[in-house]
Structure formats: structure tokens, C-alpha cells
Amino acid sequence: MKNVKTLALAATAVAAMSSSAFAADRSDLYATDYKWMQFNAMYSVDELPSSGESGHNYLEMEFGGRKGIVDLYGYVDVFNLGNEKAGDKAQGSGASKMFMKFNPRFSLDAITGKDLSFGPVQELYFSTLFNWGGGAIGEDVNATFWGIGADVNVPWLGKTGMNLYAHYDLNKKEWNGYQFSANWFKPFYFFENKSFLSFQGYVDWQFGGDEDMGNEFVPMSDNGGAAFFGLYWHSDKYALGYGLKGYKDVYLLKDGAGIVGLETTGWGHYFTATYKF
């Protein structure tokens, strides 16, 4: 119950931001349906967490859309496509071959059939998030997040997805703090051929974590996260971009601490070439 009350109070604070929202027509449940999918060939430099050399190629299968009450975003990453012997995902490193993020949100407006928008808040959601690693079951990432979300009209950025979750660790079968997430996609310059430049990115910040869930090998922090800031060129079928990602005790792993001494704070660089379906 404490988790629910905390989430509700935080959502009220976010919604109190001053701005105006237009009333939405909820009479047609499927009026705003859409879907998209794209494949991203990517290379990362200095990605964290890391215990040494960091740099690898990967293929990202990214998808999203809206169907009735469900708003969905997700991706699947496949690392080190050629099984190279260099980098942090190198052959023999013990690193996971795959990672998946699955982020379904369920519209409270659509479920109730009412327009729940107010102020800058355009739509409300029951939000879920699942992070799954591709390594050994019970050892790799297996985290779930449950909470509330909203599409919020932010000055200049426009519609920004915001979510506040309680974090449940499926490996340890324990609740462990909260996460605030925000994501945006802002086209800001259009060319004559209808291609455009966009500023896009996200913030994931965890807080209220239990430091006692760590150990002498990998100590834990009570807060930490990451922020991604990307500049991309888009056409109808292709995209090219660069992203700068900042980390601070990411995944609540304390930077440089413990026997393993993982590096979890710093900056990473991401280069992307995209084909859209």
C-alpha cells in the first residue's frame, strides 16, 4: 500500500505542471491505432556497466504502436553479431548475447471511456515494464516495474511519456525502490525532401533502493540511472544518428566498489543506422 500511495502522490505532482491540454474523444476505442517496426545496426563505445574494455556491435529490433487500450514499446538487442574476440561482449567474456525491453501501458482513458486529461496531461496509463537478459535464468537481468504513467505536453518537446514505477526484482523476489522514466521524440528541422532532424531520448532514474541487496563483490547504491540524448536524421525508410548516454550508478550498482569493481558512472556513445518497415 505504501508503494501505491507514493506513486499516486508523485503522479499528482507531475500532473500539476502548468499548461493546457485538449479534450480527447474516447468514443472510438481504435481511432488512434498505429504500429511501427525498425531494425537498428548499432555500435556502442564506453557502454556501462563495464569491468574493462567496452565497445561492441549489435542489432536492435525495435517496435511499438497502439491498439485499443494498449500502448506498446519494446526492443530486442542481439550483441556481437560476428562473435568477435574483442570488446566487452567478446567471445568467452560470459556476457549475455541478448537483452529485451518490453513496455506495455494500458490507457485508463480508454478503459473507462472517459477523457481524463487535465492541465498538461493528455492521457493516463497503468504502466508496466519488463527487462529481460539473455543469460542464465536467475542470474541475468530479470526485472519488472509496475506503476502509473501519463503523456504530458512539455514545452518545446511536445508529448512526452512519463512513468513512475515500483521495481520488483524477479530473481530475488523482492521489491526494491522505484523508477521514474521519461521519453521524447522531437522533430525540430525539416528539409525540402521531407526528411528531418530530431532530438530524441529518455531518462531512467531509480531511487529508494535497498543497499543491503548488494554484496562484497557488487555493492548496491540506493539511487542511480541513465539519460540518453540523441540527434538523428530521418527519412521515410532510413535514419542515421548519434546518441550520448550519461550513467550514474546505473542499475543501482555502486561505481568502482567491491571486489569486481564495476565501472557504472560515466559517458557512453552510440552510433546508429536504421531501416524502417
Side-chain angles (χ1 to χ4, degrees), residues 1-275:
M1 182 60 70
K2 181 180 178 182
N3 287 350
V4 174
K5 289 181 178 178
T6 303
L7 295 173
L9 288 171
T12 302
V14 170
M17 296 167 57
S18 61
S19 183
S20 59
F22 296 98
D25 181 6
R26 306 297 178 193
S27 59
D28 185 351
L29 187 62
Y30 300 101
T32 57
D33 286 0
Y34 68 95
K35 59 184 177 181
W36 60 273
M37 180 175 65
Q38 62 189 36
F39 283 70
N40 307 315
M42 303 187 68
Y43 194 87
S44 71
V45 179
D46 295 332
E47 184 177 57
L48 299 179
S50 173
S51 56
E53 183 182 6
S54 180
H56 59 265
N57 63 73
Y58 61 106
L59 177 68
E60 183 172 84
M61 294 164 278
E62 192 176 17
F63 55 90
R66 176 68 179 258
K67 183 72 172 181
I69 68 172
V70 182
D71 178 84
L72 177 64
Y73 172 76
Y75 62 81
V76 178
D77 289 341
V78 181
F79 304 112
N80 192 355
L81 302 176
N83 283 345
E84 305 297 332
K85 295 181 179 180
D88 57 317
K89 304 292 186 183
Q91 190 179 140
S93 66
S96 295
K97 183 68 175 181
M98 301 178 68
F99 176 81
M100 179 175 182
K101 182 183 289 289
F102 190 62
N103 183 201
R105 304 192 301 168
F106 304 88
S107 170
L108 297 178
D109 295 55
I111 291 171
T112 62
K114 298 180 179 179
D115 176 17
L116 302 178
S117 63
F118 58 96
V121 176
Q122 299 176 343
E123 192 165 0
L124 296 175
Y125 299 88
F126 169 64
S127 296
T128 63
L129 171 63
F130 303 86
N131 290 337
W132 294 310
I137 294 175
E139 297 179 11
D140 206 346
V141 175
N142 200 4
T144 65
F145 301 80
W146 305 81
I148 52 178
D151 289 336
V152 181
N153 186 17
V154 176
W156 192 75
L157 284 180
K159 187 176 81 170
T160 302
M162 295 186 182
N163 303 283
L164 184 63
Y165 306 100
H167 168 221
Y168 185 72
D169 189 321
L170 282 170
N171 289 336
K172 298 181 179 180
K173 300 296 188 293
E174 292 185 34
W175 293 98
N176 185 24
Y178 308 91
Q179 176 170 304
F180 171 76
S181 297
N183 60 84
W184 62 88
F185 182 95
K186 173 63 179 180
F188 66 89
Y189 185 85
F190 293 86
F191 298 97
E192 292 183 1
N193 63 1
K194 298 184 180 179
S195 66
F196 61 91
L197 298 177
S198 70
F199 172 58
Q200 56 197 76
Y202 61 85
V203 174
D204 289 329
W205 184 256
Q206 293 182 258
F207 59 97
D210 185 355
E211 295 183 5
D212 293 336
M213 292 186 72
N215 52 48
E216 68 272 19
F217 292 93
V218 184
M220 304 291 286
S221 174
D222 64 354
N223 68 87
F228 182 88
F229 307 98
L231 177 64
Y232 289 78
W233 168 82
H234 287 268
S235 70
D236 288 341
K237 294 183 179 180
Y238 307 101
L240 294 171
Y242 163 77
L244 177 67
K245 190 171 183 178
Y247 305 86
K248 173 65 171 66
D249 289 342
V250 68
Y251 304 129
L252 299 183
L253 303 174
K254 192 168 291 186
D255 183 48
I259 296 173
V260 176
L262 284 174
E263 184 180 354
T264 63
T265 297
W267 296 94
H269 309 272
Y270 293 79
F271 303 89
T272 306
T274 295
Y275 185 78

